[in-house]
């Protein structure tokens, strides 16, 4: 079959989200044909280029989200009125507050309030309200969204209109309307301009020419690698051509938006409006999707609370390359670890990993086991925040553990080391995990803990904080403690350091679990089955023919021949095939009874 793979800020670019699992998926499904439709996030990402693509990728079409030139489209009077009405409806659906005639208004209000307060717990509460509410406002938002898409198709683009004064005034009217969000009513002109600019950026896929003329209209299935803006082309392909949509989320973009909104300097009104917009868009994506594949139960709960139909959800764990850790994992039982008194942390250095608590916890460990060492392996996160946090961690380590020496003439040695992959001590990830007895994860925010799965492949016992999908991944093969609790983390580490037999049992069980659930092979097999399931239940949209105009055998699934509305076929707009020329011919001539004897 022909798959339209939709990405944002990732595959096929060298850097970006979801690059690895997308590449593994495409390479693992060589029997299918893939068309890549990629939205880039920055000029730097485009300059870095693409990774090498396999032969089953037949085409790649890209569009920048980081910039949009004026399309030069000048609307006539009727088009301007049409835009004002559609954009006004979209803005009204976003700004709708409690008691406005639809249950979902209260949900959006709660979401906006949670985002404005900038707390993850408030965001959870808002999402819960939105997910439990009615669908009237979601229908209103979707209708307005598709009307804007049709306008962009008819007129040649939306960029200029979305940047116009008409858009800002429509947004202002929606904020001032009776029943609007209380926070939105306080929006000032700078807030409205910021929100309108964000809407314009998020809605840029509506102006693309991807939906007709052998584009997304000709694929059998759209597979969006994330929700939100990445899934917008899939929404439009479904709206214009009936192409079924599959949405995969290994992290939930709406959750990420809520968490990120706490750290930006936007006014509360702007944060509330943006949270409501992304909540409406997410609800529409989930409503339109044929199936949704979360990467873990933690993400699945978020999707359900955002309005996803439970019947559409299929959990598919990320597929990771187990072979690179095979040597360490298979030799764990026989050779042991390089140092039975070493704790190892591996990851990206950033505040969410809570290395401060880890260092305080290690101070407690040293009181019980003075010979223990801690190796922190990882580079700081991009930007100045990551480097600043790493500097703070090093300063705290120097304060908690002054250089120790056995005698007055010996050189001191700090028990905490900060290293990066690629150095002489740690040339690769397998060597990092092999260097310690226990792998530690101290995060306060986590989605799918990749470093934990890598440690499991290596057959290592782990101590982790109970965040994100950690408990689901571990499944009883490691110790789990509450986050932000250095004492509990220290006690769990000491317990494993003192019991090598228990470490060995937990490590072996962890490796067996990882090989069963988290390999590339299980991921590819799961998606292959999901592709077939969706296509087998999707409407027949066209007759598939080869270059000579002959029908392709098995081009239409057998389920399409069953009675039902999905059997209503529409011929491809490529002219009449050769086999259809002339008048119908009866396959056989009936033979009167008795003549065949």
């Amino acid at each position: 079959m022909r798959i339209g793979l939709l990405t944002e800020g990732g595959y096929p670019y060298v850097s970006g989200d979801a690059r690895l699992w997308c590449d593994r998926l495409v390479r693992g499904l060589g029997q299918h044909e893939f068309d890549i439709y990629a939205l880039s996030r920055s000029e730097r990402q485009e300059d870095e280029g693409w990774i090498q693509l396999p032969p089953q990728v037949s085409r790649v079409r890209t569009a920048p989200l980081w910039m949009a030139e004026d399309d030069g489209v000048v609307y006539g009077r009727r088009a301007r009125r049409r835009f004002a009405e559609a954009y006004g409806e979209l803005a009204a659906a976003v700004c709708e507050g409690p008691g406005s005639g639809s249950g979902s208004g209260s949900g959006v209000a709660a979401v906006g309030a949670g985002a404005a307060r900038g707390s993850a717990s408030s965001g959870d509460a808002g999402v819960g309200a939105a997910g439990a509410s009615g669908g009237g406002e979601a229908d209103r938002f979707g209708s307005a969204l598709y009307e804007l898409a049709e306008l962009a198709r008819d007129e040649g683009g939306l960029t200029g209109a979305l940047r116009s004064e008409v858009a800002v005034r429509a947004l202002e009217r929606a904020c001032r309307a009776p029943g609007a969000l209380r926070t939105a009513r306080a929006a000032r002109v700078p807030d409205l301009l910021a929100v309108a600019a964000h809407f314009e950026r998020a809605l840029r896929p509506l102006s693309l020419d991807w939906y007709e003329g052998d584009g997304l209209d000709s694929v059998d299935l759209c597979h969006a690698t994330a929700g939100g803006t990445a899934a917008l082309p899939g929404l439009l392909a479904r709206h214009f051509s009936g192409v079924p949509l599959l949405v995969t989320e290994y992290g939930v973009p709406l959750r990420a938006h809520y968490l990120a909104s706490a750290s930006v300097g936007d006014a509360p009104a702007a944060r509330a409006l943006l949270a409501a917009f992304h909540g409406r868009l997410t609800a529409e994506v989930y409503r339109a999707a044929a199936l949704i594949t979360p990467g873990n139960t933690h993400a699945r709960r978020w999707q359900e609370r955002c309005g996803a139909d439970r019947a559409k959800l299929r959990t598919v764990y990320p597929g990771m390359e187990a072979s690179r850790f095979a040597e360490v994992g298979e030799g764990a039982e026989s050779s042991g670890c390089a140092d039975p008194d070493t704790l190892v942390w591996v990851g990206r250095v950033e505040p969410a990993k809570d290395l401060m608590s880890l260092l305080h916890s290690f101070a407690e460990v040293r009181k019980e086991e003075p010979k223990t060492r801690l190796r922190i392996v990882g580079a700081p996160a991009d930007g100045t925040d990551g480097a600043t946090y790493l500097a703070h961690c090093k300063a705290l380590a120097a304060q908690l553990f002054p250089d120790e020496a056995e005698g007055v003439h010996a050189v001191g040695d700090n028990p905490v080391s900060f290293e990066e992959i690629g150095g002489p001590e740690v040339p690769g990830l397998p060597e990092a995990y092999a260097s310690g007895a226990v792998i530690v994860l101290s995060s306060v925010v986590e989605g799918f803990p990749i470093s934990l799965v890598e440690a499991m492949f290596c057959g290592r016992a782990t101590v982790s904080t109970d965040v994100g999908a950690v408990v689901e991944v571990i499944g009883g093969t490691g110790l789990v403690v509450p986050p932000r609790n250095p004492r509990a983390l220290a006690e769990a580490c000491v317990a494993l350091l003192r019991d090598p037999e228990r470490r060995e049992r937990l490590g072996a069980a962890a490796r067996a679990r990882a090989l069963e659930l988290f390999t590339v092979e299980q991921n590819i097999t799961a998606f292959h089955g999901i592709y077939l399931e969706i296509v087998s239940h999707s409407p027949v949209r066209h007759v598939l023919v080869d270059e000579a105009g002959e029908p392709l055998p098995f081009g239409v699934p057998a389920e399409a021949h069953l009675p039902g509305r999905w059997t209503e076929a529409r011929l491809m707009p490529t002219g009449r095939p050769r086999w259809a020329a002339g008048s119908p011919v009866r396959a056989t001539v009936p033979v009167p009874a008795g003549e065949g004897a």
Side-chain angles (χ1 to χ4, degrees):
M1 67 183 74
R2 188 175 178 185
I3 310 297
L5 191 63
L6 314 177
T7 69
E8 178 194 356
Y11 191 75
Y13 293 104
V14 171
S15 62
D17 302 334
R19 174 178 57 84
L20 287 177
W21 83 261
C22 285
D23 188 54
R24 291 165 180 165
L25 176 70
V26 172
R27 292 181 183 277
L29 294 176
Q31 68 271 43
H32 299 311
E33 181 182 356
F34 285 86
D35 294 349
I36 311 299
Y37 292 82
L39 300 170
S40 65
R41 288 181 180 169
S42 66
E43 184 177 10
R44 175 183 175 184
Q45 185 177 56
E46 292 194 355
D47 291 341
E48 289 175 345
W50 303 344
I51 63 174
Q52 186 175 359
L53 299 175
Q56 54 264 39
V57 175
S58 58
R59 73 167 69 172
V60 178
R61 300 186 68 175
T62 65
L65 276 184
W66 49 275
M67 55 97 53
E69 298 179 356
D70 194 340
D71 48 27
V73 176
V74 179
Y75 285 181
R77 181 180 302 176
R78 180 176 300 178
R80 288 197 302 270
R81 185 185 307 115
R82 186 178 168 189
F83 171 79
E85 293 175 355
Y87 193 89
E89 279 292 296
L90 186 86
V94 169
C95 296
E96 197 75 47
S100 303
S102 173
S104 58
S106 60
V108 174
V111 170
R117 286 193 297 270
S119 66
S121 59
S122 299
D124 280 354
V127 172
S133 60
E137 290 309 310
D139 293 341
R140 186 180 187 182
F141 179 89
S143 298
L145 182 70
Y146 299 131
E147 177 61 25
L148 287 174
E150 292 173 2
L151 177 63
R153 181 187 61 176
D154 296 342
E155 300 295 332
L158 274 180
T159 303
L162 291 172
R163 294 175 174 177
S164 67
E165 183 180 351
V166 174
V168 179
R169 290 191 178 277
L171 185 59
E172 182 181 22
R173 283 194 298 272
C175 291
R176 307 288 188 260
L181 285 169
R182 183 175 60 183
T183 314
R185 297 174 197 167
R188 300 174 299 172
V189 172
D191 303 328
L192 296 172
L193 292 173
V195 171
H198 184 94
F199 285 7
E200 185 272 325
R201 182 181 186 277
L203 296 176
R204 284 174 189 172
L206 271 62
S207 299
L208 299 176
D209 59 349
W210 290 357
Y211 312 110
E212 294 179 330
D214 197 31
L216 285 173
D217 59 318
S218 62
V219 303
D220 298 299
L221 167 70
C222 283
H223 185 177
T225 59
T229 302
L232 256 181
L235 282 182
L236 302 190
R238 178 183 180 274
H239 175 71
F240 290 133
S241 305
V243 179
L245 173 63
L246 169 66
V247 178
T248 295
E249 290 185 325
Y250 285 130
V252 183
L254 183 60
R255 172 181 177 270
H257 174 79
Y258 290 155
L259 295 176
S261 66
S263 60
V264 299
D266 293 336
R271 294 205 300 269
L273 289 171
L274 294 180
F277 171 81
H278 286 285
R280 298 291 188 210
L281 180 57
T282 297
E284 179 60 23
V285 169
Y286 291 164
R287 184 198 66 79
L291 287 178
I292 306 165
T293 54
N296 52 72
T297 302
H298 177 66
R300 181 176 183 137
R301 287 197 298 266
W302 264 88
Q303 291 169 339
E304 289 181 3
R305 298 177 72 180
C306 292
D309 183 357
R310 184 173 298 181
K312 294 182 177 182
L313 298 176
R314 306 279 193 279
T315 300
V316 179
Y317 293 119
M320 299 178 60
E321 192 64 54
S323 59
R324 64 186 301 200
F325 305 104
E327 183 177 353
V328 176
E330 293 170 358
E333 295 184 3
S334 59
S335 62
C337 62
D339 188 345
D341 297 319
T342 297
L343 303 176
V344 177
W345 179 95
V346 178
R348 183 175 55 197
V349 179
E350 58 184 346
K353 305 303 182 182
D354 198 16
L355 293 181
M356 297 292 190
S357 290
L358 176 60
L359 291 170
H360 284 291
S361 173
F362 183 62
E364 298 293 324
V365 172
R366 291 275 293 182
K367 294 177 183 178
E368 301 293 331
E369 297 291 331
K371 294 183 179 180
T372 308
R373 301 182 63 84
L374 172 63
R375 301 183 71 172
I376 296 176
V377 182
D382 295 336
T384 57
D385 291 343
T388 301
Y389 186 72
L390 176 60
H392 289 166
C393 291
K394 290 182 177 180
L396 178 61
Q399 179 182 351
L400 292 174
F401 312 102
D403 288 350
E404 301 174 4
E406 297 180 357
V408 294
H409 299 293
V411 178
D413 182 21
N414 195 302
V416 179
S417 62
F418 293 85
E419 307 167 60
E420 292 190 20
I421 299 293
E425 298 292 332
V426 189
L429 278 173
E431 290 78 13
Y433 293 112
S435 66
V438 178
I439 309 301
V440 186
L441 185 143
S442 55
S443 302
V444 293
V445 176
E446 194 76 50
F448 186 85
I450 293 176
S451 63
L452 209 55
V453 177
E454 292 171 342
M456 294 168 70
F457 279 134
C458 292
R460 290 296 182 260
T462 59
V463 175
S464 312
T465 49
D466 186 5
V467 293
V470 165
V471 172
E472 180 182 2
V473 168
I474 288 296
T477 65
L479 303 187
V480 181
V481 301
R484 294 193 178 97
N485 192 331
R487 183 177 297 276
L489 191 65
E491 291 175 354
C493 290
V494 170
L496 290 183
L497 287 170
R498 291 176 173 176
D499 194 343
E501 293 183 357
R502 187 184 184 189
R503 292 200 310 265
E504 184 176 322
R505 290 196 306 271
L506 289 175
R511 175 168 168 77
R513 179 176 175 82
L515 290 174
E516 179 183 0
L517 297 178
F518 308 124
T519 61
V520 175
E521 291 75 18
Q522 68 81 23
N523 182 270
I524 291 173
T525 300
F527 277 116
H528 178 64
I530 287 171
Y531 284 174
L532 293 177
E533 178 183 355
I534 293 177
V535 172
S536 68
H537 291 88
S538 63
V540 179
R541 297 177 295 106
H542 49 252
V543 174
L544 299 177
V545 297
D546 59 18
E547 296 179 355
E550 298 289 345
L552 290 173
F554 310 110
V556 176
E559 289 82 354
H561 298 289
L562 296 174
R565 58 181 175 82
W566 53 81
T567 61
E568 299 173 1
R570 290 183 294 169
L571 293 177
M572 292 180 64
T574 55
R576 195 176 188 186
R578 181 167 53 83
W579 55 267
S583 58
V585 178
R586 187 183 298 274
T588 58
V589 179
V591 179
E595 292 185 10

